[in-house]
mmCIF file with all atom_site columns, all heavy atoms in Angstrom:
data_model
loop_
_atom_site.group_PDB
_atom_site.id
_atom_site.type_symbol
_atom_site.label_atom_id
_atom_site.label_alt_id
_atom_site.label_comp_id
_atom_site.label_asym_id
_atom_site.label_entity_id
_atom_site.label_seq_id
_atom_site.pdbx_PDB_ins_code
_atom_site.Cartn_x
_atom_site.Cartn_y
_atom_site.Cartn_z
_atom_site.occupancy
_atom_site.B_iso_or_equiv
_atom_site.pdbx_formal_charge
_atom_site.auth_seq_id
_atom_site.auth_comp_id
_atom_site.auth_asym_id
_atom_site.auth_atom_id
_atom_site.pdbx_PDB_model_num
ATOM 1  N N   . ASP A 1 68 ? 33.567 33.964 -57.462 1.00 97.00 ? 68 ASP A N   1
ATOM 2  C CA  . ASP A 1 68 ? 34.848 33.269 -57.293 1.00 97.00 ? 68 ASP A CA  1
ATOM 3  C C   . ASP A 1 68 ? 34.757 31.772 -57.586 1.00 97.00 ? 68 ASP A C   1
ATOM 4  O O   . ASP A 1 68 ? 35.780 31.101 -57.687 1.00 97.00 ? 68 ASP A O   1
ATOM 5  C CB  . ASP A 1 68 ? 35.370 33.441 -55.856 1.00 97.00 ? 68 ASP A CB  1
ATOM 6  C CG  . ASP A 1 68 ? 35.683 34.886 -55.526 1.00 97.00 ? 68 ASP A CG  1
ATOM 7  O OD1 . ASP A 1 68 ? 35.895 35.690 -56.464 1.00 97.00 ? 68 ASP A OD1 1
ATOM 8  O OD2 . ASP A 1 68 ? 35.705 35.212 -54.330 1.00 97.00 ? 68 ASP A OD2 1
ATOM 9  N N   . PHE A 1 69 ? 33.554 31.248 -57.699 1.00 97.00 ? 69 PHE A N   1
ATOM 10 C CA  . PHE A 1 69 ? 33.342 29.813 -57.855 1.00 97.00 ? 69 PHE A CA  1
ATOM 11 C C   . PHE A 1 69 ? 33.288 29.412 -59.320 1.00 97.00 ? 69 PHE A C   1
ATOM 12 O O   . PHE A 1 69 ? 32.582 30.042 -60.113 1.00 97.00 ? 69 PHE A O   1
ATOM 13 C CB  . PHE A 1 69 ? 32.012 29.399 -57.208 1.00 97.00 ? 69 PHE A CB  1
ATOM 14 C CG  . PHE A 1 69 ? 32.046 29.308 -55.711 1.00 97.00 ? 69 PHE A CG  1
ATOM 15 C CD1 . PHE A 1 69 ? 32.168 30.435 -54.928 1.00 97.00 ? 69 PHE A CD1 1
ATOM 16 C CD2 . PHE A 1 69 ? 31.945 28.078 -55.085 1.00 97.00 ? 69 PHE A CD2 1
ATOM 17 C CE1 . PHE A 1 69 ? 32.188 30.361 -53.550 1.00 97.00 ? 69 PHE A CE1 1
ATOM 18 C CE2 . PHE A 1 69 ? 31.962 27.979 -53.709 1.00 97.00 ? 69 PHE A CE2 1
ATOM 19 C CZ  . PHE A 1 69 ? 32.092 29.124 -52.937 1.00 97.00 ? 69 PHE A CZ  1
ATOM 20 N N   . SER A 1 70 ? 34.011 28.356 -59.661 1.00 97.00 ? 70 SER A N   1
ATOM 21 C CA  . SER A 1 70 ? 33.821 27.742 -60.980 1.00 97.00 ? 70 SER A CA  1
ATOM 22 C C   . SER A 1 70 ? 32.456 27.062 -60.945 1.00 97.00 ? 70 SER A C   1
ATOM 23 O O   . SER A 1 70 ? 31.866 26.861 -59.879 1.00 97.00 ? 70 SER A O   1
ATOM 24 C CB  . SER A 1 70 ? 34.911 26.718 -61.251 1.00 97.00 ? 70 SER A CB  1
ATOM 25 O OG  . SER A 1 70 ? 34.774 25.609 -60.361 1.00 97.00 ? 70 SER A OG  1
ATOM 26 N N   . ASP A 1 71 ? 31.970 26.660 -62.100 1.00 97.00 ? 71 ASP A N   1
ATOM 27 C CA  . ASP A 1 71 ? 30.692 25.942 -62.129 1.00 97.00 ? 71 ASP A CA  1
ATOM 28 C C   . ASP A 1 71 ? 30.769 24.666 -61.299 1.00 97.00 ? 71 ASP A C   1
ATOM 29 O O   . ASP A 1 71 ? 29.851 24.362 -60.533 1.00 97.00 ? 71 ASP A O   1
ATOM 30 C CB  . ASP A 1 71 ? 30.296 25.608 -63.569 1.00 97.00 ? 71 ASP A CB  1
ATOM 31 C CG  . ASP A 1 71 ? 29.901 26.842 -64.364 1.00 97.00 ? 71 ASP A CG  1
ATOM 32 O OD1 . ASP A 1 71 ? 29.629 27.907 -63.763 1.00 97.00 ? 71 ASP A OD1 1
ATOM 33 O OD2 . ASP A 1 71 ? 29.870 26.742 -65.604 1.00 97.00 ? 71 ASP A OD2 1
ATOM 34 N N   . ASP A 1 72 ? 31.869 23.922 -61.432 1.00 95.00 ? 72 ASP A N   1
ATOM 35 C CA  . ASP A 1 72 ? 32.026 22.673 -60.691 1.00 95.00 ? 72 ASP A CA  1
ATOM 36 C C   . ASP A 1 72 ? 32.058 22.900 -59.187 1.00 95.00 ? 72 ASP A C   1
ATOM 37 O O   . ASP A 1 72 ? 31.448 22.146 -58.422 1.00 95.00 ? 72 ASP A O   1
ATOM 38 C CB  . ASP A 1 72 ? 33.295 21.935 -61.115 1.00 95.00 ? 72 ASP A CB  1
ATOM 39 C CG  . ASP A 1 72 ? 33.190 21.355 -62.517 1.00 95.00 ? 72 ASP A CG  1
ATOM 40 O OD1 . ASP A 1 72 ? 32.062 21.218 -63.035 1.00 95.00 ? 72 ASP A OD1 1
ATOM 41 O OD2 . ASP A 1 72 ? 34.247 21.035 -63.092 1.00 95.00 ? 72 ASP A OD2 1
ATOM 42 N N   . ALA A 1 73 ? 32.761 23.928 -58.742 1.00 95.00 ? 73 ALA A N   1
ATOM 43 C CA  . ALA A 1 73 ? 32.841 24.219 -57.306 1.00 95.00 ? 73 ALA A CA  1
ATOM 44 C C   . ALA A 1 73 ? 31.477 24.646 -56.768 1.00 95.00 ? 73 ALA A C   1
ATOM 45 O O   . ALA A 1 73 ? 31.089 24.262 -55.658 1.00 95.00 ? 73 ALA A O   1
ATOM 46 C CB  . ALA A 1 73 ? 33.881 25.298 -57.039 1.00 95.00 ? 73 ALA A CB  1
ATOM 47 N N   . ALA A 1 74 ? 30.755 25.432 -57.542 1.00 96.00 ? 74 ALA A N   1
ATOM 48 C CA  . ALA A 1 74 ? 29.416 25.856 -57.118 1.00 96.00 ? 74 ALA A CA  1
ATOM 49 C C   . ALA A 1 74 ? 28.480 24.659 -57.006 1.00 96.00 ? 74 ALA A C   1
ATOM 50 O O   . ALA A 1 74 ? 27.759 24.516 -56.012 1.00 96.00 ? 74 ALA A O   1
ATOM 51 C CB  . ALA A 1 74 ? 28.854 26.879 -58.098 1.00 96.00 ? 74 ALA A CB  1
ATOM 52 N N   . ILE A 1 75 ? 28.506 23.794 -58.004 1.00 96.00 ? 75 ILE A N   1
ATOM 53 C CA  . ILE A 1 75 ? 27.639 22.614 -57.986 1.00 96.00 ? 75 ILE A CA  1
ATOM 54 C C   . ILE A 1 75 ? 27.983 21.714 -56.803 1.00 96.00 ? 75 ILE A C   1
ATOM 55 O O   . ILE A 1 75 ? 27.092 21.249 -56.090 1.00 96.00 ? 75 ILE A O   1
ATOM 56 C CB  . ILE A 1 75 ? 27.737 21.853 -59.319 1.00 96.00 ? 75 ILE A CB  1
ATOM 57 C CG1 . ILE A 1 75 ? 27.083 22.677 -60.425 1.00 96.00 ? 75 ILE A CG1 1
ATOM 58 C CG2 . ILE A 1 75 ? 27.105 20.468 -59.212 1.00 96.00 ? 75 ILE A CG2 1
ATOM 59 C CD1 . ILE A 1 75 ? 27.377 22.194 -61.827 1.00 96.00 ? 75 ILE A CD1 1
ATOM 60 N N   . ALA A 1 76 ? 29.264 21.489 -56.568 1.00 93.00 ? 76 ALA A N   1
ATOM 61 C CA  . ALA A 1 76 ? 29.672 20.624 -55.452 1.00 93.00 ? 76 ALA A CA  1
ATOM 62 C C   . ALA A 1 76 ? 29.222 21.207 -54.119 1.00 93.00 ? 76 ALA A C   1
ATOM 63 O O   . ALA A 1 76 ? 28.705 20.480 -53.255 1.00 93.00 ? 76 ALA A O   1
ATOM 64 C CB  . ALA A 1 76 ? 31.196 20.443 -55.464 1.00 93.00 ? 76 ALA A CB  1
ATOM 65 N N   . THR A 1 77 ? 29.401 22.497 -53.941 1.00 95.00 ? 77 THR A N   1
ATOM 66 C CA  . THR A 1 77 ? 29.020 23.147 -52.685 1.00 95.00 ? 77 THR A CA  1
ATOM 67 C C   . THR A 1 77 ? 27.514 23.143 -52.495 1.00 95.00 ? 77 THR A C   1
ATOM 68 O O   . THR A 1 77 ? 27.011 22.763 -51.433 1.00 95.00 ? 77 THR A O   1
ATOM 69 C CB  . THR A 1 77 ? 29.540 24.600 -52.654 1.00 95.00 ? 77 THR A CB  1
ATOM 70 O OG1 . THR A 1 77 ? 30.962 24.568 -52.770 1.00 95.00 ? 77 THR A OG1 1
ATOM 71 C CG2 . THR A 1 77 ? 29.134 25.306 -51.381 1.00 95.00 ? 77 THR A CG2 1
ATOM 72 N N   . LEU A 1 78 ? 26.799 23.557 -53.522 1.00 95.00 ? 78 LEU A N   1
ATOM 73 C CA  . LEU A 1 78 ? 25.345 23.654 -53.406 1.00 95.00 ? 78 LEU A CA  1
ATOM 74 C C   . LEU A 1 78 ? 24.694 22.286 -53.262 1.00 95.00 ? 78 LEU A C   1
ATOM 75 O O   . LEU A 1 78 ? 23.786 22.105 -52.441 1.00 95.00 ? 78 LEU A O   1
ATOM 76 C CB  . LEU A 1 78 ? 24.774 24.382 -54.622 1.00 95.00 ? 78 LEU A CB  1
ATOM 77 C CG  . LEU A 1 78 ? 25.197 25.846 -54.745 1.00 95.00 ? 78 LEU A CG  1
ATOM 78 C CD1 . LEU A 1 78 ? 24.737 26.416 -56.078 1.00 95.00 ? 78 LEU A CD1 1
ATOM 79 C CD2 . LEU A 1 78 ? 24.651 26.654 -53.587 1.00 95.00 ? 78 LEU A CD2 1
ATOM 80 N N   . ALA A 1 79 ? 25.158 21.325 -54.026 1.00 93.00 ? 79 ALA A N   1
ATOM 81 C CA  . ALA A 1 79 ? 24.555 19.990 -53.965 1.00 93.00 ? 79 ALA A CA  1
ATOM 82 C C   . ALA A 1 79 ? 24.740 19.363 -52.588 1.00 93.00 ? 79 ALA A C   1
ATOM 83 O O   . ALA A 1 79 ? 23.785 18.884 -51.978 1.00 93.00 ? 79 ALA A O   1
ATOM 84 C CB  . ALA A 1 79 ? 25.146 19.093 -55.045 1.00 93.00 ? 79 ALA A CB  1
ATOM 85 N N   . ARG A 1 80 ? 25.955 19.379 -52.092 1.00 91.00 ? 80 ARG A N   1
ATOM 86 C CA  . ARG A 1 80 ? 26.205 18.731 -50.804 1.00 91.00 ? 80 ARG A CA  1
ATOM 87 C C   . ARG A 1 80 ? 25.594 19.532 -49.655 1.00 91.00 ? 80 ARG A C   1
ATOM 88 O O   . ARG A 1 80 ? 24.977 18.969 -48.761 1.00 91.00 ? 80 ARG A O   1
ATOM 89 C CB  . ARG A 1 80 ? 27.702 18.537 -50.577 1.00 91.00 ? 80 ARG A CB  1
ATOM 90 C CG  . ARG A 1 80 ? 27.952 17.796 -49.284 1.00 91.00 ? 80 ARG A CG  1
ATOM 91 C CD  . ARG A 1 80 ? 29.218 16.991 -49.272 1.00 91.00 ? 80 ARG A CD  1
ATOM 92 N NE  . ARG A 1 80 ? 29.134 15.833 -50.157 1.00 91.00 ? 80 ARG A NE  1
ATOM 93 C CZ  . ARG A 1 80 ? 30.082 15.485 -51.000 1.00 91.00 ? 80 ARG A CZ  1
ATOM 94 N NH1 . ARG A 1 80 ? 31.180 16.169 -51.111 1.00 91.00 ? 80 ARG A NH1 1
ATOM 95 N NH2 . ARG A 1 80 ? 29.948 14.424 -51.754 1.00 91.00 ? 80 ARG A NH2 1
ATOM 96 N N   . GLY A 1 81 ? 25.760 20.846 -49.672 1.00 90.00 ? 81 GLY A N   1
ATOM 97 C CA  . GLY A 1 81 ? 25.235 21.668 -48.583 1.00 90.00 ? 81 GLY A CA  1
ATOM 98 C C   . GLY A 1 81 ? 23.706 21.631 -48.519 1.00 90.00 ? 81 GLY A C   1
ATOM 99 O O   . GLY A 1 81 ? 23.125 21.416 -47.454 1.00 90.00 ? 81 GLY A O   1
#
Side-chain angles (χ1 to χ4, degrees):
D68 296 339
F69 283 69
S70 67
D71 290 344
D72 290 342
I75 290 167
T77 300
L78 295 172
R80 183 152 290 134

